[in-house]
């Protein structure tokens, strides 16, 4: 700007214009440049706004899945866009080993499925291998079929543990989340037993061992059985889920109090454009009735504010 100002002033003087007028024109340009941009720039913005508006109106699920995938690494934005998705009448379903892809996708029912790549500790390469095997040989029938077919390089203790906590293995109803972490008499968790079983099954398949009769697979491997145990309490399940996903997805700790919150709250700070003093978080506030000071009898009220991300 400084270099251009000097050239502009010199050009004005050469062409017979008064230096004061040239300075005045330049100062107006500087002020205008603080908030304006050229027509070509505004045209591009208008075109993109029209295109995205059309996609959101006519292909809402695909559009929101793309938006969520674009911001998959930003949990704050993900929460905001998930709220918008629910407002539009679509559900954001949890990860599913038999349906999810790397990023957010739209399933056959028109709802959005959480991507396996968004689970902490899983990794995109492992997810791609899971998807490739699923597309090649069909859906995984149960947890044993999964560990038998998955690539050995992608099978370690951390990945199935993260999938189990996130709910990606809930499609296998015979095993609940807590059972994957139950400890047997040998001090091993069910996940560790599954990994050993999967490694052994894969080794047998690769080595192509044969029985005395020349048939492949002359013996049946013993499948580990999950230890019976109660499921995690709701709050523990949600907190564990949030550790690997970053948000409360399957439900929310305050879901049991939705009636009280909707009945007694009178303001939502996220929807108040004038609440500049309150942080822009999903907070709800409620009055608990009028109180009076003893001296001057002036009314005062107690304000409760709590943080509830992703509640509604």
């Amino acid at each position: 700007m400084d270099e251009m100002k000097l050239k502009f002033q010199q050009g004005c003087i050469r062409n017979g214009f008064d230096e004061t007028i040239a300075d005045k024109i330049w100062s107006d340009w500087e002020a205008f440049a603080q908030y304006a941009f050229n027509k070509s720039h505004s045209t591009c913005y208008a075109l993109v706004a029209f295109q995205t508006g059309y996609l959101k109106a006519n292909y809402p699920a695909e559009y929101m899945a793309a938006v969520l995938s674009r911001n998959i690494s930003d949990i704050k934005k993900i929460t905001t866009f998930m709220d918008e998705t629910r407002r539009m009448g679509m559900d954001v379903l949890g990860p599913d080993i038999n349906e999810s892809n790397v990023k957010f996708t739209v399933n056959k029912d028109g709802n959005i499925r959480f991507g396996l790549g968004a689970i902490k500790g899983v990794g995109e390469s492992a997810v791609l291998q899971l998807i490739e095997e699923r597309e090649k040989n069909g859906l995984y029938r149960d947890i044993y079929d999964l560990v038998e077919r998955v690539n050995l390089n992608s099978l370690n203790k951390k990945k199935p543990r993260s999938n189990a906590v996130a709910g990606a293995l809930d499609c296998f109803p015979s095993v609940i989340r807590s059972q994957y972490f139950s400890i047997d008499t040998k001090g091993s968790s069910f996940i560790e037993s599954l990994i050993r079983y999967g490694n052994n099954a894969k080794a047998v398949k690769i080595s192509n061992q044969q029985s005395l009769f020349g048939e492949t697979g002359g013996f049946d491997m013993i499948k580990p059985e999950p230890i019976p145990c109660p499921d995690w309490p709701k709050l523990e399940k949600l907190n564990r889920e949030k550790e690997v996903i970053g948000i409360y997805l399957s439900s929310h700790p305050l879901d049991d109090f939705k009636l009280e919150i909707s009945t007694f709250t009178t303001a939502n700070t996220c929807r108040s454009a004038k609440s500049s003093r309150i942080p822009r978080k999903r907070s709800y506030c409620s009055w608990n009735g009028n109180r009076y000071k003893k001296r001057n009898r002036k009314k005062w009220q107690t304000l409760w504010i709590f943080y509830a991300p992703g509640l509604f």
Side-chain angles (χ1 to χ4, degrees), residues 112-294:
I112 297 176
R113 178 66 72 177
F114 205 88
L116 294 174
I119 302 175
K120 297 177 183 177
V122 176
E124 185 173 339
S125 60
V127 174
L128 290 174
Q129 292 174 11
L130 287 169
I131 296 172
E132 182 181 359
E133 170 62 27
R134 186 181 70 196
E135 293 177 346
K136 183 179 180 180
N137 296 310
L139 301 180
Y140 300 106
R141 297 187 301 273
D142 51 37
I143 187 61
Y144 304 105
D145 185 45
L146 173 65
V147 296
E148 287 173 5
R149 291 164 52 185
V150 74
N151 191 297
L152 285 174
N153 294 327
S154 65
L155 187 62
N156 58 50
K157 186 167 60 176
K158 187 175 182 180
K159 292 179 175 63
R161 177 181 294 174
S162 298
N163 280 321
V165 170
L169 304 181
D170 288 354
C171 56
F172 307 134
S174 59
V175 184
I176 59 177
R177 297 189 195 183
S178 60
Q179 287 183 302
Y180 289 102
F181 302 89
S182 58
I183 305 298
D184 59 18
T185 55
K186 298 179 180 179
S188 298
S189 67
F190 183 51
I191 284 182
E192 293 171 335
S193 300
L194 284 171
I195 292 173
R196 284 195 296 269
Y197 168 78
N199 287 334
N200 292 334
K202 198 75 172 181
V204 170
K205 185 177 180 180
I206 293 174
S207 62
N208 197 22
Q209 292 180 353
Q210 296 182 345
S211 69
L212 295 174
F213 300 99
E215 297 177 352
T216 302
F219 62 92
D220 293 329
M221 296 186 61
I222 300 176
K223 297 179 179 179
E225 293 292 335
I227 304 299
C229 66
D231 200 1
W232 292 325
K234 178 181 177 180
L235 185 58
E236 181 180 357
K237 181 185 290 186
L238 292 175
N239 286 334
R240 285 173 177 258
E241 185 179 283
K242 188 180 179 182
E243 287 178 2
V244 295
I245 296 180
I247 54 176
Y248 297 120
L249 186 59
S250 58
S251 61
H252 194 278
L254 295 177
D255 281 346
D256 296 336
F257 305 97
K258 276 188 176 181
L259 177 61
E260 290 83 353
I261 293 172
S262 60
T263 302
F264 296 108
T265 54
T266 59
N268 182 336
T269 57
C270 284
R271 299 169 189 162
S272 177
K274 297 181 180 180
S275 302
S276 58
R277 295 183 180 180
I278 302 177
R280 290 306 179 92
K281 291 184 177 180
R282 177 55 58 89
S283 305
Y284 294 85
C285 51
S286 173
W287 306 111
N288 70 342
N290 293 331
R291 303 291 182 86
Y292 294 88
K293 289 185 178 180
K294 292 183 178 180

Side-chain angles (χ1 to χ4, degrees), residues 84-134:
E84 173 65 10
T85 302
R86 295 189 182 100
R87 185 197 66 78
M88 295 168 65
M90 295 173 288
D91 292 328
V92 180
L93 306 176
D96 188 316
I97 205 76
N98 271 331
E99 190 175 58
S100 295
N101 286 334
V102 179
K103 296 183 179 180
F104 292 83
T105 51
V106 181
N107 65 7
K108 60 182 180 181
D109 298 322
N111 294 315
I112 297 176
R113 178 66 72 177
F114 205 88
L116 294 174
I119 302 175
K120 297 177 183 177
V122 176
E124 185 173 339
S125 60
V127 174
L128 290 174
Q129 292 174 11
L130 287 169
I131 296 172
E132 182 181 359
E133 170 62 27
R134 186 181 70 196

Side-chain angles (χ1 to χ4, degrees), residues 62-82:
E62 291 79 2
Y63 174 79
M64 292 308 299
V67 171
L68 289 166
S69 298
R70 175 64 180 80
N71 298 276
I72 197 170
S73 59
D74 192 328
I75 295 301
K76 292 183 179 179
K77 289 184 178 180
I78 285 290
T79 303
T80 301
F81 293 133
M82 285 178 60

